[in-house]
Amino acid sequence: MFPTFDDCTVSMNFRSLLRERLTAALAGLAPEAELSSLAELVVPSQDPKFGDYQINCAMALGKSLKRPPREVAQELVNRLKVDDFCNPPEIAGPGFINLKLKDDYLVGLLAAASGDERLGIAPVARKKQYIVDYSAPNVAKPMHVGHIRSSVIGDSIYRTLKFQGHNVVGDNHIGDWGTQFGMIIYGFKHFRDDAAYRADPVAELSRLYRLVNQLVGYFEAKEELPKLRQKLEYATAALAAAKNVAPAGDKNADKKNAQALKKAESDVKSATEAVGEVEKKLAAIDGDAALSALAAKHSRIGAASLEETAKLHSGDEENLKLWREFMPPCLEALEETYRRLHVTFDETLGESFYHDRLAAVVEFYEQKGLARESDGALCIFLPGQDVPMLIRKKDGAFLYATTDLATIQYRMERWKPDAVLYVVDHRQSLHFEHLFAAAKLAGYEGCDFRHISFGTVLGKDGRPYKTRSGDTVGLKGLLDEAVERAATIVAENDERNPEGPQLSADERRRVAETVGIGALKYADLSQNRTSDYEFSYDKMLAMNGNTATYMQYAYARVRSIFRRGGVDAAALRAKNVSIVLGTPAERNLALGLLRCEEAIELSTADFRPNQLTTYLFELANYYSTFFEQCPVLKAETSELRDSRLMLCDLTARTIKLGLSLLGIDVVEQM
RNA sequence: GCCCUCGUAGCUCAGUGGAUAGAGCAACGGUUUCCUAAACCGUAGGUCGUUGGUUCGAUUCCAAUCGAGGGUACCA
């Protein structure tokens, strides 16, 4: 009943299939060297009236062959063999070739997808070994809003690559060995509240960290303030001078003066802000008698904390014992958040894991002549970089660059990866430029090191997202708030149901958790990762627009049909139903379903999960339209009913699969 | 100073060198005896910061420029 397919045509990746056919058609017509770049010019059509796909290479080819593009297009069409799955191609405009896929071909693919666990999506032909480095919180500090993006984007990339059939190692490179631990140890030795520590060790350690950090910051601020004030003074003087410059009458000179004035103004502004910030830090301690007393007693706290870190690193028994005691509860606290977020790792190899390897790494670079001393520090000078990468401080301590080099060495030895992806915010791009260049110097040219950078989460004011008092927003509170708001919405909607409430209190809670967490993750993933984005609970939980909630709702509506109709999806799939694409709504949905593989491919091509969310949003839109226009349970005939049920089932499974690649769950009812 | 990122509708943001640049919100208008209206359909809204260049074709690539943000030697 379905057309039979040879190996080449059993593919829902229309774009790559069309590329193959186009390449064959181009052979002999275009120069060998240009074949692949010309074949790239197969793209989905933007407007349905131009068909499903279009071939755009006739214009370019016409130019190079010095022939009218429409004539070239006609010749291409004559040579192009696509009649097994496309309607006859049409030539339009200057030489566009428009293609429309045959309905019976789509129907055959849908049937095949329905019988497949992977919905017909083929694993990649060439498997690669990937390492994805993501999340990487500091163990000493509670996770905050800044950790969402790395965790969520990294996890999604991990899941998607894995689904494509690659070998992937997800590694959480936690900060468990740095100066923060020295602060905690110092705090524990001097300020601990034993009862609080017994009751909730993580909360107490976090309090100690914040306290020590505040005191250290206080003394730093005290030292900095005169310098900053002087800077402000200079800036103010420079501004006054710039204002006094008389118009030169010369266009270039005036422009220069105007620029100088602007620069002086912004210098004054930033200096004022810097002074204000430092004064605020000082006032917080000076205005508090208890804190002032502590500060007076611990005036060496900065240096002393560093000493505690150094002692830890050099194997001091007491500090090592404390470190071993602190780690498990801290890791468990992280785990709790990851469980809630559904973020997982294969490895959690933190900074401490590489401690023993640092000296050898430094030695390696030194002996190869790749690193040399400068101002007492050991530096790697890289071509084209005016700032060196420091791998050993003048006091002999190692830096995070050192750890990262050791990490590369370890990963190369253990996994021999084809690519290592670092999901880290864009502010560290210089560090990664250095790191990757240094890795190449060490001989790791074959590996594709990539900084998967992302932008900042902003508040409504366009500044990094903070609480009203200016503190960073804790991740746990963020999750709680999202779930709480979701709970309110779930309850409201359930109460409003004309047939009366459908959900038990327990079900409501579970739905709220899934919807709330999903909303938060999706809001992050649906942004182009490179840009900053404005955080908004209302937007992320909206029922309209590109949100997880909208997708989950589409899914729940499908499941509702099966529930109402008493239809067993598995039995339906086994039934050999013939799908009919009688209306545009049905055909659009069908084509959308079959584009999943393309969307996945697009999202891993440049590691941008938002390509996948865009696809899912389109798919859910097609479904909503279908849902409005095409009655399923009350279809005119039982054949049409089954056909539509098949489309519904495939929609639910595709949405579920797509969301799972984003690390987001679905609910049967909401 | 140098380096990086960004600038698209009133707002928040998508956009793969291709035809008439999209979505959501906000505004305006319509749809419910019908499987979840938490929905759907429609109208209006644009100098893709500016100026050049490359190209058959540029929001997309290159250069300059204006504006915003970030980074820039011993924190991570």
Side-chain angles (χ1 to χ4, degrees), chain A residues 213-442:
Chain A
N213 192 39
Q214 193 186 8
L215 290 169
V216 170
Y218 172 76
F219 289 108
E220 280 171 4
K222 231 174 183 172
E223 204 169 305
E224 251 180 291
L225 188 59
K227 289 183 213 161
L228 287 174
R229 281 196 172 137
Q230 194 170 55
K231 217 170 157 185
L232 177 57
E233 219 171 278
Y234 289 153
T236 312
L239 178 60
K243 274 182 178 160
N244 269 332
V245 173
D250 169 31
K251 227 166 101 188
N252 274 338
D254 279 344
K255 203 172 136 196
K256 263 200 175 145
N257 291 337
Q259 273 179 345
L261 180 62
K262 216 163 223 177
K263 171 111 177 38
E265 274 169 350
S266 95
D267 283 351
V268 168
K269 199 180 146 208
S270 59
T272 309
E273 273 170 20
V275 168
E277 237 169 75
V278 163
E279 281 173 342
K280 213 171 121 190
K281 268 190 199 172
L282 294 174
I285 301 273
D286 290 334
D288 185 306
L291 286 174
S292 293
L294 278 186
K297 245 178 96 180
H298 297 268
S299 57
R300 274 195 73 254
I301 191 165
S305 295
L306 285 177
E307 281 159 22
E308 297 293 2
T309 311
K311 273 164 75 182
L312 173 67
H313 289 180
S314 61
D316 175 80
E317 273 306 317
E318 188 189 8
N319 283 9
L320 212 50
K321 185 171 161 278
L322 288 175
W323 182 81
R324 289 199 189 105
E325 184 179 323
F326 295 159
M327 281 299 283
C330 287
L331 286 175
E332 177 48 33
L334 290 179
E335 245 341 284
E336 195 186 322
T337 304
Y338 289 134
R339 270 197 298 272
R340 207 165 170 205
L341 275 175
H342 294 210
V343 168
T344 57
F345 306 92
D346 299 304
E347 302 284 347
T348 300
L349 301 176
E351 291 167 345
S352 63
F353 179 80
Y354 299 97
H355 179 244
D356 296 339
R357 299 165 174 267
L358 300 182
V361 167
V362 169
E363 203 177 312
F364 171 87
Y365 276 91
E366 207 171 10
Q367 278 186 356
K368 288 232 165 180
L370 300 170
R372 63 179 161 85
E373 263 192 29
S374 166
D375 289 345
L378 192 67
C379 305
I380 302 176
F381 287 89
L382 297 154
Q385 296 283 353
D386 42 0
V387 185
M389 176 163 81
L390 271 62
I391 56 173
R392 192 181 62 212
K393 302 201 277 185
K394 64 179 163 210
D395 67 4
F398 301 124
L399 296 107
Y400 81 129
T402 327
T403 311
D404 279 358
L405 284 174
T407 305
I408 286 180
Q409 200 175 63
Y410 176 82
R411 287 172 173 168
M412 295 307 293
E413 283 167 13
R414 179 164 169 197
W415 289 295
K416 299 180 179 54
D418 298 296
V420 184
L421 312 178
Y422 294 83
V423 187
V424 180
D425 76 273
H426 70 276
R427 287 171 304 189
Q428 298 200 36
S429 57
L430 181 60
H431 166 64
F432 285 110
E433 264 180 60
H434 282 165
L435 183 66
F436 301 162
K440 304 263 142 143
L441 287 182

Side-chain angles (χ1 to χ4, degrees), chain A residues 499-525:
Chain A
E499 294 172 32
Q502 306 288 307
L503 301 170
S504 68
D506 197 48
E507 282 166 334
R508 282 188 187 184
R509 217 179 2 260
R510 279 213 316 276
V511 170
E513 180 77 16
T514 303
V515 169
I517 303 284
L520 188 82
K521 296 179 82 172
Y522 194 96
D524 206 298
L525 292 163

Side-chain angles (χ1 to χ4, degrees), chain A residues 50-62:
Chain A
F50 300 134
D52 300 325
Y53 287 83
Q54 53 181 318
I55 296 173
N56 295 334
C57 66
M59 286 79 83
L61 197 52

Side-chain angles (χ1 to χ4, degrees), chain A residues 24-193:
Chain A
L26 281 166
L29 188 63
E32 191 74 25
E34 288 172 29
L35 280 186
S36 68
S37 66
L38 286 170
E40 286 290 301
L41 296 174
V42 177
V43 295
S45 300
Q46 282 184 1
D47 193 313
K49 78 179 174 210
F50 300 134
D52 300 325
Y53 287 83
Q54 53 181 318
I55 296 173
N56 295 334
C57 66
M59 286 79 83
L61 197 52
K63 178 73 178 173
S64 65
L65 296 180
K66 298 194 168 60
R67 287 170 57 189
R70 279 192 72 108
E71 190 186 305
V72 175
Q74 187 56 57
E75 184 163 350
L76 261 179
V77 166
N78 295 343
R79 291 159 159 261
L80 192 64
K81 195 200 164 296
V82 290
D83 60 330
D84 48 341
F85 67 104
C86 287
N87 293 339
E90 286 173 16
I91 298 169
F96 295 105
I97 299 170
N98 295 332
L99 295 160
K100 190 162 181 186
L101 298 161
K102 284 183 173 169
D103 283 4
D104 58 358
Y105 174 65
L106 298 181
V107 160
L109 289 179
L110 289 170
S114 179
D116 182 10
E117 281 291 310
R118 294 175 58 92
L119 299 175
I121 300 164
V124 288
R126 258 178 300 170
K127 253 190 193 190
K128 284 187 183 176
Q129 176 67 56
Y130 281 95
I131 293 174
V132 188
D133 182 322
Y134 56 106
S135 196
N138 201 298
V139 174
K141 309 186 249 185
M143 286 173 89
H144 57 84
V145 60
H147 295 109
I148 297 180
R149 297 211 81 180
S150 178
S151 306
V152 167
I153 294 170
D155 182 59
S156 173
I157 291 172
Y158 172 86
R159 288 165 181 264
T160 311
L161 288 172
K162 207 146 195 195
F163 178 74
Q164 284 187 307
H166 294 292
N167 294 319
V168 195
V169 176
D171 188 7
N172 192 5
H173 190 76
I174 54 174
D176 60 359
W177 199 244
T179 43
Q180 287 83 357
F181 260 97
M183 291 191 188
I184 290 197
I185 289 170
Y186 186 93
F188 191 79
K189 287 180 179 174
H190 297 92
F191 307 132
R192 78 170 174 276
D193 175 339

